Amino acid sequence: VKNKEIEEVLRKVGGELLKEVRLFDIYRGKPIPPGFKSLAYSLTFRSEKKTLKEKEVEKVMEKIIHALEEKGVKVRKK
């Protein structure tokens, strides 16, 4: 899956709360299988209307992870 496709999913599912998506690392090598790469993103969530609670962001992140996995992206979780 290409970076552009991943960013599209992030922005679509993140909705109005996701203000910034930044790819900050691309890694190839052990333990990543040949032909694959690991991409790391920084996501910034913010609401213009209120202070976000951790649970609100976690709910959006769960939806993002589910959408990425449906696209065939393996998401490394905490």
Side-chain angles (χ1 to χ4, degrees), residues 56-71:
E56 292 172 289
V57 175
E58 285 176 359
K59 192 179 236 184
V60 175
M61 283 301 301
E62 287 173 12
K63 290 178 184 179
I64 287 172
I65 290 168
H66 180 73
L68 289 172
E69 289 175 338
E70 283 188 339
K71 263 205 143 348

Side-chain angles (χ1 to χ4, degrees), residues 21-78:
V21 174
R22 185 175 63 88
L23 174 65
F24 68 87
D25 189 36
I26 300 173
Y27 177 77
R28 291 179 178 95
K30 290 184 179 182
I32 309 298
F36 290 85
K37 60 188 168 197
S38 174
L39 305 175
Y41 295 87
S42 170
L43 307 179
T44 303
F45 294 92
R46 183 174 53 248
S47 173
E48 305 298 327
K49 301 173 186 170
K50 63 179 184 169
T51 300
L52 293 175
K53 304 241 187 295
E54 187 175 345
K55 291 282 185 191
E56 292 172 289
V57 175
E58 285 176 359
K59 192 179 236 184
V60 175
M61 283 301 301
E62 287 173 12
K63 290 178 184 179
I64 287 172
I65 290 168
H66 180 73
L68 289 172
E69 289 175 338
E70 283 188 339
K71 263 205 143 348
V73 175
K74 184 176 179 182
V75 178
R76 184 176 43 184
K77 299 171 187 158
K78 295 179 186 178

